[in-house]
Amino acid sequence: MSVLRTAALRSKRTIVAVGLTVAVVAGTGGWAAGSAQTAVTGPAPGAAAWRADHSLDRPLPDPAKAAPAAVARFFASLTRTQQHTLAARHPLTVGNLDGAPVPLRYEANSLALKAERRHRLAQATDPAGTLQDHRQARKAAGRCAELLAPGRRILAFDPRGRGQVAEVHGDLTRARHVAVVVPGSDIDLGSFDRARDPYGTPTGMATSLRRQMTAEAPGARTAVIAWAGYTTPVGLGPDAATGRLAEAGAPRLARFLSGLAAVGAPAPAVLCHSYGSLVCGAAAARTDRDAIADLIVFASPGIRHDSAAALHTSARVWAARDASDWIGNVPHVAFLGLGHGEDPTDPAFGARRVPAARAKGHTGYLAPGTDSLRNFAAIALGRYADVR
């Protein structure tokens, strides 16, 4: 095929796709169906006080600039008493500091959640607030209480914006097989776990995956992390059709993954759902070369790269989509900043295809009994021959 003919076909495909995009937007109520979000970036609140702390007679690692490996070395040089003192004095900083000891982050985030709950309860009775303010404050306080339930291991917590959180299922400090779940749109502190559509939430996906991994390999030491550490799009607005929030969240994911490596965790399988696959695609090239073992995108609208090779990662790249998933109707093009490019499940993209015939809809990939769940567990366990 000639170059001119190829270009003409691509131009025609783009024009058709733009028309389809307009039709999809119109059919879902237009851009009004979603609202523009302000991305939460940078260190959690309290970073200034942390930087100004000279109690150890030496600078503390800058939460915005220090590499996770340097953070790990810093904490390794401290006594246990010094570590706990810093966590008590700066819970939000230590709780979100990639490279800090995992148990210390659990401790710090427990303190941060308790403080946030007290703050929200005070807001709920503030005479200056409206009834809506009081309801929202009580709801936020309730979410904090749920995350403080015995047995929950909160690896990150940031109350800014709609709230961000990461939770570990299993023993991360002893795990030989680790997976990280990166969710798509409409996920925040309030929807991190819920009874409605549970397998569309980070908690539901993570618990189901770990349960399957345990069933497949009863003696294996496993951990699955539900990571809702970026500002997700809300609804089907412009945020869902562009890569703006993904680009803002990618450095946070890359730093988080580098932090796992810094504390000695094995390179994880990273499972990226829907819009989360854009975050993973943008983060892949930013991570250390061996920070990811496997990258799995599912229910993906595209990842803003033309091929798996263009991700510039040493990770194995996998892709899955079930036939009933509406995301398959989204045009796989990028035009004037809209759209997310090639379909990762297209053989030409170069990803390894993960069968998902028994999954249902856009959020059913990790539901019990599905072949996609079994295959994702096999990948996370390194049993690649069992993917079928």
Side-chain angles (χ1 to χ4, degrees):
M1 183 180 295
S2 69
V3 174
L4 289 177
R5 185 182 177 190
T6 299
L9 287 173
R10 286 179 177 173
S11 177
K12 182 178 180 181
R13 186 182 68 168
T14 297
I15 292 171
V16 171
V18 171
L20 286 173
T21 300
V22 172
V24 169
V25 170
T28 56
W31 296 134
S35 57
Q37 301 296 300
T38 299
V40 171
T41 58
W50 168 268
R51 295 187 187 101
D53 189 334
H54 302 294
S55 61
L56 297 180
D57 295 323
R58 56 171 162 155
L60 305 183
D62 189 330
K65 299 178 181 178
V71 172
R73 289 192 297 270
F74 168 79
F75 277 97
S77 73
L78 303 181
T79 66
R80 295 293 293 276
T81 298
Q82 289 172 324
Q83 291 183 3
H84 293 303
T85 298
L86 286 177
R89 189 177 296 161
H90 308 282
L92 277 173
T93 296
V94 175
N96 291 284
L97 196 54
D98 296 309
V102 169
L104 191 68
R105 291 181 66 172
Y106 296 158
E107 176 186 325
N109 283 313
S110 177
L111 295 172
L113 281 162
K114 290 175 182 176
E116 181 68 11
R117 182 172 180 269
R118 290 192 297 269
H119 172 64
R120 294 296 189 173
L121 288 174
Q123 285 184 329
T125 57
D126 185 352
T130 66
L131 289 176
Q132 183 179 3
D133 292 335
H134 293 168
R135 284 195 296 268
Q136 290 177 343
R138 285 194 297 271
K139 184 177 180 180
R143 290 298 292 134
C144 291
E146 291 169 359
L147 293 174
L148 284 165
R152 301 196 76 164
R153 300 178 175 92
I154 306 304
L155 191 60
F157 167 67
D158 189 336
R160 293 179 296 169
R162 289 154 46 210
Q164 299 179 2
V165 63
E167 181 177 15
V168 176
H169 299 265
D171 187 348
L172 181 58
T173 60
R174 298 179 63 249
R176 298 292 300 275
H177 302 280
V178 174
V180 177
V181 175
V182 179
S185 298
D186 299 308
I187 296 297
D188 51 32
L189 185 63
S191 56
F192 185 68
D193 48 17
R194 60 176 182 250
R196 179 181 61 83
D197 188 26
Y199 302 111
T201 70
T203 297
M205 288 189 280
T207 54
S208 183
L209 178 61
R210 184 160 188 266
R211 189 181 303 117
Q212 185 69 29
M213 291 170 69
T214 300
E216 298 287 341
R221 298 199 298 268
T222 63
V224 180
I225 304 169
W227 183 85
Y230 77 104
T231 303
T232 67
V234 172
L236 292 173
D239 286 341
T242 69
R244 181 179 65 88
L245 294 180
E247 288 296 329
R252 298 172 73 83
L253 177 59
R255 185 179 179 85
F256 179 80
L257 295 172
S258 294
L260 294 181
V263 297
V270 182
L271 288 79
C272 316
H273 178 243
S274 193
Y275 189 88
S277 60
L278 276 75
V279 183
C280 293
R286 290 179 166 95
T287 61
D288 299 333
R289 182 164 180 80
D290 298 324
I292 305 174
D294 294 276
L295 187 67
I296 308 167
V297 298
F298 58 107
S300 174
I303 55 178
R304 294 187 161 250
H305 289 81
D306 292 334
S307 66
L311 293 171
H312 300 295
T313 177
S314 61
R316 301 170 191 83
V317 181
W318 308 77
R321 187 178 70 231
D322 74 74
S324 65
D325 190 343
W326 60 263
I327 203 73
N329 297 322
V330 172
H332 288 284
V333 296
F335 180 76
L336 296 179
L338 297 176
H340 304 307
E342 301 297 328
D343 179 2
T345 64
D346 188 321
F349 185 82
R352 307 179 187 203
R353 189 69 183 265
V354 182
R358 295 175 64 184
K360 300 296 182 184
H362 189 60
T363 58
Y365 291 82
L366 284 102
T370 57
D371 52 345
S372 47
L373 172 61
R374 178 183 56 76
N375 285 323
F376 292 165
I379 295 169
L381 289 167
R383 299 181 174 183
Y384 305 118
D386 292 341
V387 179
R388 59 184 183 276

